[in-house]
Amino acid sequence: MANLKSELDEYLSRNNSDTKPLLNGIPSVSLPKVGSWFKKNEASDEAESWFAGAQKDCCPTLTRLQRIIGFCVCISLGIICFCLAGMYIPVLLLKARKFALLYTTGSLFMICSFSFLWGPLHHLRHLFSKERLCFTLSYFSSLALTLYFALYQKSSPLTLVSAVAQVIALL
């Protein structure tokens, strides 16, 4: 029994001299710094820049949430108009004016949605920049002609031609 006590004391003294016997063969792993995830960095500055640029335009009183809500509402209305216009595709020759009006209204909602997001003046400057001027003029003129032929002239063939021109200008 005395021998057992001496062996136990020797074992315990040996384990006390080793600081961490279980972690000797395991490599240490550094933990990520979670605090940096919640701090403001350069990426969030870029996200702030579109909002700061949009606030300088003609609607400085709109908050970011109001701009995003306006964007989502206009995008949703544009998608609804495109879906309703798609329902008129099977009877396009009979209901060309209704198709063209819905398609044009959907296009206008889509354009207005990005004006909400970027700010109307910044968006118009972007659309009428030197690189996009030809596209913008052809697309807006086809939109105007579609509305003119559908609402004032009430001519289905001319409305259909201008709607096709609108799709070509969009592509």
Side-chain angles (χ1 to χ4, degrees):
M1 197 61 122
N3 192 14
L4 183 62
K5 182 175 179 352
S6 64
E7 287 178 5
L8 183 59
D9 288 337
E10 181 184 326
Y11 176 75
L12 288 175
S13 65
R14 186 179 53 178
N15 281 341
N16 286 340
S17 64
D18 296 339
T19 56
K20 296 179 183 174
L22 296 177
L23 297 178
N24 284 340
I26 299 173
S28 65
V29 177
S30 64
L31 295 174
K33 299 192 185 224
V34 181
S36 65
W37 294 350
F38 301 106
K39 292 181 183 174
K40 193 173 183 179
N41 58 11
E42 294 81 28
S44 64
D45 288 342
E46 290 177 14
E48 292 287 335
S49 66
W50 72 265
F51 181 66
Q55 268 193 324
K56 292 177 187 173
D57 282 345
C58 67
C59 300
T61 58
L62 291 179
T63 64
R64 181 188 306 178
L65 180 65
Q66 289 171 337
R67 288 184 187 277
I68 291 174
I69 289 172
F71 170 76
C72 291
V73 167
C74 283
I75 281 280
S76 301
L77 289 173
I79 290 171
I80 289 170
C81 286
F82 284 140
C83 289
L84 290 174
M87 290 181 187
Y88 281 106
I89 288 177
V91 291
L92 189 60
L93 294 176
L94 300 175
K95 304 286 185 180
R97 287 182 20 224
K98 287 184 182 183
F99 167 79
L101 285 174
L102 285 169
Y103 188 80
T104 304
T105 307
S107 295
L108 290 174
F109 274 126
M110 290 291 184
I111 290 170
C112 288
S113 68
F114 288 103
S115 290
F116 263 107
L117 199 59
W118 291 356
L121 291 179
H122 182 263
H123 189 227
L124 285 175
R125 273 188 237 121
H126 174 76
L127 286 175
F128 287 101
S129 66
K130 188 176 182 180
E131 302 86 28
R132 292 174 180 78
L133 185 61
C134 181
F135 160 74
T136 303
L137 291 177
S138 64
Y139 188 64
F140 281 141
S141 63
S142 67
L143 283 173
L145 285 175
T146 303
L147 290 175
Y148 176 74
F149 289 137
L151 294 175
Y152 296 111
Q153 292 293 321
K154 296 184 181 178
S155 169
S156 292
L158 291 175
T159 302
L160 188 59
V161 168
S162 61
V164 169
Q166 180 181 344
V167 171
I168 291 171
L170 186 62
L171 294 176

